Amino acid sequence: QVQLVESGGGSVRSGGSLRLSCVGSGVTYSDSNAALGWFRQRPGKEREPVAAIYPLTGSTYYAVSARARFTISLDNAKNTVYLQMNSLKPEDTAMYFCAAQNEYSPDWFTSRQYTYWGQGTQVTVSS
């Protein structure tokens, strides 16, 4: 049984930083090139992609809103994917979810390409 557990959310002031973590159990991230992604859902909005990483190639992809401020990374030894978020803005306030594809798909952007999801961790950025 695959489980993804996020942590690291919290409340910060605008300009601050947070690092989100997502530990996988029942799955070894580095066993395949299935993408690992971070999505978020802002209040009143649909879930949207933030970033993704392909474990075997190390390729990373970012939504426009995340580029230059967020960094996704993978620690194979810890089976943990991270999202380092810097220069946070109030509009980054959202529930953040990690997700894993069941098999490789080049479409990292679409939530339905991901089979496994964590429960989410709340990020709140105040001005």
Side-chain angles (χ1 to χ4, degrees):
Q1 180 180 353
V2 176
Q3 282 191 312
L4 306 179
V5 179
E6 305 99 332
S7 62
S11 297
V12 296
R13 298 290 295 271
S14 182
S17 298
L18 284 172
R19 187 177 78 157
L20 306 183
S21 302
C22 177
V23 180
S25 61
V27 61
T28 301
Y29 292 154
S30 58
D31 273 356
S32 78
N33 210 32
L36 307 168
W38 285 97
F39 287 74
R40 70 184 184 186
Q41 188 161 14
R42 294 183 282 179
K45 303 287 187 181
E46 293 188 355
R47 192 170 296 190
E48 60 183 1
V50 176
I53 186 167
Y54 286 89
L56 298 186
T57 61
S59 299
T60 57
Y61 299 88
Y62 297 91
V64 171
S65 60
R67 287 175 195 164
R69 297 189 301 127
F70 295 0
T71 303
I72 189 170
S73 62
L74 175 62
D75 185 330
N76 289 326
K78 296 182 178 179
N79 209 39
T80 299
V81 60
Y82 300 99
L83 184 69
Q84 177 67 44
M85 304 188 294
N86 299 328
S87 302
L88 282 161
K89 306 174 182 179
E91 52 263 43
D92 294 317
T93 294
M95 184 72 78
Y96 284 73
F97 300 88
C98 74
Q101 294 179 344
N102 187 48
E103 58 184 17
Y104 171 78
S105 167
D107 180 0
W108 67 271
F109 202 76
T110 306
S111 61
R112 66 175 179 269
Q113 296 294 332
Y114 294 78
T115 301
Y116 307 108
W117 291 83
Q119 81 289 348
T121 186
Q122 178 67 38
V123 171
T124 302
V125 185
S126 59
S127 57

